[in-house]
Amino acid sequence: MSLEQNYQNILSQLPQNVKLVAVSKTNPAFKIKELYDLGQKAFGENKVQELLEKQPVLPNDIEWHLIGHLQTNKVKYIASFISMIESIDSEKLLKEVDKEAAKNNRKINILLQVKIAKEDTKFGLTTNEAKDIFSQYLAGNFPNVEIKGLMGMASFVDDETQIREEFSILKNLFDELSQLKPLKTLSMGMSGDFPIAIESGSNSVRVGSAIFGERNYV
Ligand SMILES: *Cc1c(COP(=O)(O)O)cnc(C)c1O
């Protein structure tokens, strides 16, 4: 299937309220431009270095999302232009983003990444850490960031029941925090599990290989 066919195929499966972030990691800039020309504006990258190579050579109305683990010493390189950092996985990182946002005279939109997978390999906050950070935020901490919502990844398993359980942990936390202050974005679902994620309440999916084709490496 062509890029356009893949893209239309994914779009046709997304309800109107669900945003698509096209995960372009490992794909060259010209491929991103191809998808951009088909109308896609939000792209996700997981490595700062790769993002810094692509961003200057692509249209500047692209909405870049950082979706991978971010080291604090690299925040400064993306702080001027990043649209959303989806992968805030520690308070230390959030502090750094807040500091760099202030330096750039802007607010930076972020999601708190919560570890919902049973697998022990993934980055992310515990639900309690996320609640604690959110209450600090409501009390006025991190004034240069805008906490827009939550992001999470389910385990890479075939067991649909397990995937649903993991997504429901995040949806419940999203609802709980939204009572304190309405949140906008619940980012969950990738190529392999986005239909389940949407059924579980996701309103933002991060889809890579189902659009761009399989990657050689992650
Ligand atoms: C790579 C990646 C995706 C997209 O994965 P696909 O299976 O290619 O759709 C989504 N979210 C994160 C955090 C990723 O690292």
Side-chain angles (χ1 to χ4, degrees):
M1 289 233 280
S2 70
L3 185 69
E4 177 161 19
Q5 284 170 322
N6 288 343
Y7 182 50
Q8 295 304 340
N9 179 35
I10 298 296
L11 287 182
S12 73
Q13 295 175 69
L14 303 182
Q16 235 174 11
N17 68 314
V18 176
K19 181 185 174 97
L20 173 63
V21 176
V23 175
S24 47
K25 64 188 184 194
T26 79
N27 284 283
F30 78 88
K31 278 253 198 170
I32 298 174
K33 181 64 166 50
E34 240 179 279
L35 197 60
Y36 172 89
D37 288 338
L38 294 170
Q40 180 63 24
K41 291 286 135 61
F43 290 87
E45 289 283 338
N46 70 336
K47 294 202 170 78
V48 168
Q49 185 54 43
E50 201 178 326
L51 175 55
L52 292 175
E53 285 164 20
K54 294 171 180 175
Q55 187 265 343
V57 300
L58 284 160
N60 58 22
D61 64 340
I62 285 185
E63 191 188 302
W64 292 105
H65 288 228
L66 194 84
I67 61 168
H69 178 64
L70 175 59
Q71 289 170 286
T72 49
N73 62 358
K74 295 200 172 150
V75 175
K76 57 178 176 287
Y77 301 119
I78 60 169
S80 66
F81 69 87
I82 198 78
S83 288
M84 172 83 90
I85 300 175
E86 297 206 9
S87 43
I88 297 293
D89 57 11
S90 72
E91 190 178 324
K92 178 170 161 239
L93 176 60
L94 186 58
K95 275 190 184 137
E96 181 66 17
V97 171
D98 183 61
K99 192 180 95 190
E100 290 297 327
K103 276 194 198 165
N104 286 274
N105 289 310
R106 62 182 295 237
K107 279 203 173 197
I108 295 180
N109 295 324
I110 67 102
L111 303 180
L112 298 176
Q113 181 178 354
V114 179
K115 186 175 141 61
I116 53 173
K118 281 188 193 141
E119 297 165 346
D120 209 31
T121 51
K122 302 230 163 62
F123 290 104
L125 302 160
T126 65
T127 53
N128 278 333
E129 287 167 342
K131 284 184 203 177
D132 176 60
I133 288 176
F134 196 64
S135 57
Q136 290 187 54
Y137 171 68
L138 294 179
N141 285 348
F142 321 116
N144 307 294
V145 304
E146 193 93 47
I147 300 185
K148 291 286 186 188
L150 304 176
M151 187 270 260
M153 287 164 89
S155 300
F156 294 105
V157 292
D158 289 329
D159 181 356
E160 218 182 285
T161 310
Q162 185 183 339
I163 295 172
R164 281 181 199 281
E165 272 172 23
E166 294 176 357
F167 283 148
S168 77
I169 296 172
L170 200 61
K171 172 68 162 96
N172 289 338
L173 181 63
F174 182 81
D175 290 344
E176 189 180 331
L177 298 182
S178 291
Q179 306 249 301
L180 306 172
K181 180 176 196 246
L183 291 174
K184 179 161 180 271
T185 305
L186 180 56
S187 172
M188 44 186 207
M190 313 177 19
S191 293
D193 59 15
F194 76 86
I196 302 175
I198 292 168
E199 285 172 18
S200 307
S202 169
N203 60 21
S204 189
V205 295
R206 309 175 309 274
V207 178
S209 49
I211 298 174
F212 288 105
E214 291 299 329
R215 289 177 299 273
N216 294 323
Y217 62 102
V218 175

Short mmCIF file of all heavy atoms in Angstrom, two decimals, residues 164 187 201 216:
data_model
loop_
_atom_site.label_atom_id
_atom_site.label_comp_id
_atom_site.label_asym_id
_atom_site.label_seq_id
_atom_site.Cartn_x
_atom_site.Cartn_y
_atom_site.Cartn_z
N ARG A 164 -6.62 -3.72 27.47
CA ARG A 164 -7.76 -2.92 27.94
C ARG A 164 -7.61 -2.52 29.40
O ARG A 164 -7.93 -1.40 29.79
CB ARG A 164 -9.07 -3.69 27.75
CG ARG A 164 -9.58 -3.67 26.34
CD ARG A 164 -10.90 -4.41 26.19
NE ARG A 164 -11.11 -4.74 24.80
CZ ARG A 164 -11.55 -3.89 23.87
NH1 ARG A 164 -11.89 -2.66 24.21
NH2 ARG A 164 -11.68 -4.27 22.62
N SER A 187 -3.53 10.62 25.46
CA SER A 187 -2.76 10.06 24.35
C SER A 187 -2.45 8.60 24.61
O SER A 187 -1.59 8.26 25.41
CB SER A 187 -1.46 10.86 24.18
OG SER A 187 -0.60 10.25 23.24
N GLY A 201 -11.14 5.23 25.48
CA GLY A 201 -11.25 6.65 25.81
C GLY A 201 -10.16 7.55 25.27
O GLY A 201 -10.15 8.75 25.54
N ASN A 216 13.12 -0.45 10.48
CA ASN A 216 14.18 -1.42 10.68
C ASN A 216 14.61 -1.47 12.13
O ASN A 216 15.08 -2.46 12.63
CB ASN A 216 15.38 -1.09 9.81
CG ASN A 216 15.03 -1.24 8.34
OD1 ASN A 216 14.28 -2.14 7.97
ND2 ASN A 216 15.55 -0.37 7.52
#
